[in-house]
Amino acid sequence: MDPIEFIQQSACSIKNTMYKLKLKYNPFSEKPIRGNTKFFVGRVSELREIGEILGAAMHGSVANAAIVGTKGIGKSSMLNIIYYATKKQGHWVVELTASQITPRQFLIQLLYNILIENLISINGTIKSDYMEHSQRILEMYKRLNNYGDKVPIHYPRERIERDLEYLINDVKDEDKLCIILIDEADQFAKKSCLSLLQFFHSFLYEENILAFFAGSPTLMDDLTKISPPIKDRIPKIINMPPLSKDESYDLIRRRLEDAHIDGADTFEPFTEDAIDMIVEECDGIPRKIIMTCSESISIAIKKHLRKIDENIVKEALHHLGISVGHQILNHLTPAQSEIVKAMAKLGGAATVTQLAEYLNKSPSTIGTHLSDIYEMGYIYKERDKNNVYYKLSKELKDVLLGEDNELEL
Ligand SMILES: Nc1ncnc2c1ncn2[C@@H]1O[C@H](COP(=O)(O)OP(=O)(O)O)[C@@H](O)[C@H]1O
Ligand SMILES: [Mg+2]
């Protein structure tokens, strides 16, 4: 068979099976919501609070905010929405992910992003509003432009700070704010970031800079641990709870509607029971809902089905559980992974004493590891009379105790 035709035919057959499911495409892609907000559901009170923070900042009382919640709850999506909302109002906005952790690298990123997201247009020229400053801006831009090439640039930190100050105080319109959005801010809670946080302190006092930090539920505690005064600089905490049941249904419905071929019913190709199961099992976590729907559709395509029922959803949940479990295992240190595997051997739950005996280690060593794993949310604690049992999370159970588990224990 001609290999070129073969590829074409295979691609076509996917399209046909997609049509059998009454879908034009698989609408469950795992990406933060960006400018296109037609899939965004709920979050009314959080949006209102953000609006209020913004309003207050525009009138001289800046209160920086932390947006906190578990993985996949929608923090990055929320930051993206703030980005577009504030951009539309003409503020300067920069979006950064806290992976560049030395203060110098962070400053370089910040400066560069302020330039390219706000002052330079797509074709590389300076926006007309800032023409009078063109010489100095261009100079900075040139200096930073080879940043991406990893070419070491000569740009001392004092100089960067001075340039930043100049941009924000002299170039930016006084009525506008400079909004800094920092995703995955948990990186800042590392000891190695202390000097960055210290730098940030002075920065967060500025009247026309408003910062939003997105991170895990323990973000503020972790930041405070390495730098107590940070708490006063980030007085607002926006907690992202799970979506309600109705919002979860709404999320699925909207995505399906967008992908439906003419004449499809609301939740097709899912059966009612299948949808109920997804909403029930995913605990209102948007990423989990999306991934389960997406995986269910993939399975249905492979099996050439017309309908997705509970059994397919179960299969999808199981696959995902295992893949998340693998990710967790990869994330654990060898000592931690030895412990969770021992927990599996002991039936999925164990006390410190049992584990210490089983692994022939001191209870205090085991206890330290367990509390680290517990902090990361990969195991649970349960008290039974006088004993505290540590239990594997659902994901770790799936991968360590699952039926088709091929892992060497
Ligand atoms: N309010 C929402 N409505 C619809 N989809 C959402 C919502 N919040 C998040 N999502 C979706 O859930 C997934 C995870 O969101 P994301 O913002 O990446 O979470 P986080 O940054 O908290 O881990 C993304 O695919 C995103 O599109
Ligand atoms: Mg995120």
Side-chain angles (χ1 to χ4, degrees):
M1 136 121 13
D2 176 37
I4 295 173
E5 248 172 52
F6 185 74
I7 287 185
Q8 274 176 337
Q9 274 183 12
S10 305
C12 249
S13 90
I14 292 281
K15 191 179 157 195
N16 291 337
T17 15
M18 213 43 132
Y19 262 75
K20 261 202 222 164
L21 294 168
K22 303 222 173 148
L23 295 173
K24 286 180 267 191
Y25 66 99
N26 183 344
F28 297 98
S29 83
E30 213 321 270
K31 282 192 204 132
I33 295 211
R34 296 200 64 95
N36 178 358
T37 49
K38 71 179 168 192
F39 295 148
F40 191 80
V41 303
R43 301 295 180 217
V44 178
S45 62
E46 292 85 354
L47 292 170
R48 184 179 303 122
E49 192 168 356
I50 289 165
E52 284 164 9
I53 291 172
L54 193 63
M58 284 164 69
H59 296 94
S61 76
V62 168
N64 301 299
I67 297 176
V68 298
T70 53
K71 291 193 195 91
I73 200 82
K75 301 175 299 290
S76 301
S77 301
M78 204 57 135
L79 283 188
N80 288 154
I81 284 174
I82 300 175
Y83 178 91
Y84 285 100
T86 50
K87 191 128 198 154
K88 207 167 175 182
Q89 292 189 311
H91 299 298
W92 281 8
V93 207
V94 282
E95 239 183 332
L96 297 166
T97 302
S99 53
Q100 231 82 40
I101 49 170
T102 71
R104 207 181 100 82
Q105 281 170 326
F106 183 80
L107 282 175
I108 286 178
Q109 279 261 319
L110 182 62
L111 186 56
Y112 187 64
N113 285 17
I114 287 183
L115 287 174
I116 57 165
E117 290 184 40
N118 303 284
L119 281 69
I120 310 269
S121 32
I122 300 169
N123 61 11
T125 56
I126 295 182
K127 292 191 179 157
S128 51
D129 301 6
Y130 309 115
M131 267 330 216
E132 52 176 312
H133 301 279
S134 60
Q135 212 175 345
R136 191 157 168 191
I137 293 174
L138 270 184
E139 205 181 295
M140 286 181 221
Y141 182 58
K142 272 194 210 128
R143 220 183 261 270
L144 289 164
N145 216 10
N146 38 16
Y147 171 74
D149 307 336
K150 303 257 182 289
V151 180
I153 40 177
H154 180 68
Y155 208 156
R157 180 163 157 189
E158 301 73 49
R159 178 85 193 265
I160 305 174
E161 283 178 32
R162 229 185 309 129
D163 283 342
L164 260 175
E165 236 161 71
Y166 162 74
L167 286 182
I168 288 167
N169 297 327
D170 300 346
V171 180
K172 186 175 63 54
D173 190 343
E174 255 180 68
D175 314 336
K176 301 295 179 196
L177 297 165
C178 177
I179 294 176
I180 303 177
L181 308 173
I182 301 177
D183 205 358
E184 281 155 42
D186 298 84
Q187 290 283 331
F188 285 165
K190 292 186 176 159
K191 283 209 181 68
S192 55
C193 284
L194 186 58
S195 62
L196 178 56
L197 274 186
Q198 280 162 345
F199 161 75
F200 237 92
H201 278 191
S202 58
F203 207 48
L204 291 178
Y205 257 151
E206 295 264 345
E207 244 175 39
N208 46 19
I209 297 180
L210 175 62
F212 288 91
F213 300 80
S216 69
T218 55
L219 175 66
M220 283 316 295
D221 291 340
D222 297 344
L223 286 176
T224 315
K225 245 182 243 161
I226 79 155
S227 171
I230 194 85
K231 210 168 197 147
D232 306 332
R233 305 293 165 94
I234 310 178
K236 297 274 182 195
I237 312 239
I238 300 171
N239 184 34
M240 305 266 289
L243 297 178
S244 70
K245 290 255 158 74
D246 284 347
E247 287 163 348
S248 302
Y249 283 104
D250 200 23
L251 184 156
I252 302 173
R253 190 174 46 75
R254 284 204 212 175
R255 293 202 184 227
L256 284 173
E257 258 167 19
D258 195 67
H260 273 155
I261 59 172
D262 288 341
D265 284 341
T266 321
F267 284 115
E268 270 190 295
F270 292 90
T271 64
E272 233 171 81
D273 290 343
I275 292 290
D276 292 346
M277 181 173 215
I278 294 171
V279 169
E280 199 56 48
E281 291 287 324
C282 294
D283 304 320
I285 299 185
R287 179 176 293 146
K288 220 167 158 184
I289 298 173
I290 287 168
M291 286 174 70
T292 308
C293 290
S294 178
E295 183 67 21
S296 304
I297 291 177
S298 302
I299 296 173
I301 288 174
K302 258 187 229 136
K303 297 191 172 175
H304 301 280
L305 302 176
R306 286 180 184 276
K307 279 269 164 208
I308 296 174
D309 62 13
E310 276 174 288
N311 289 323
I312 301 297
V313 172
K314 257 188 216 154
E315 205 176 318
L317 284 163
H318 187 66
H319 281 184
L320 292 173
I322 286 186
S323 72
V324 173
H326 278 298
Q327 281 171 24
I328 296 175
L329 281 183
N330 286 337
H331 186 202
L332 297 176
T333 66
Q336 291 169 341
S337 132
E338 191 187 7
I339 289 179
V340 295
K341 284 175 187 168
M343 286 170 74
K345 279 274 187 191
L346 294 168
T351 64
V352 175
T353 327
Q354 287 171 341
L355 284 166
E357 256 166 39
Y358 186 85
L359 291 168
N360 202 11
K361 296 229 165 83
S362 81
S364 74
T365 311
I366 298 285
T368 314
H369 287 310
L370 281 171
S371 69
D372 288 344
I373 310 171
Y374 174 77
E375 281 287 309
M376 294 187 279
Y378 301 152
I379 55 176
Y380 310 128
K381 261 196 257 193
E382 218 168 62
R383 183 173 282 283
D384 176 36
K385 294 194 190 109
N386 295 325
N387 292 317
V388 175
Y389 280 90
Y390 286 90
K391 289 177 67 177
L392 294 175
S393 63
K394 163 105 178 49
E395 291 78 13
L396 279 177
K397 248 198 234 155
D398 276 343
V399 69
L400 293 170
L401 293 168
E403 300 139 40
D404 42 23
N405 151 33
E406 303 130 29
L407 218 85
E408 291 281 306
L409 287 182

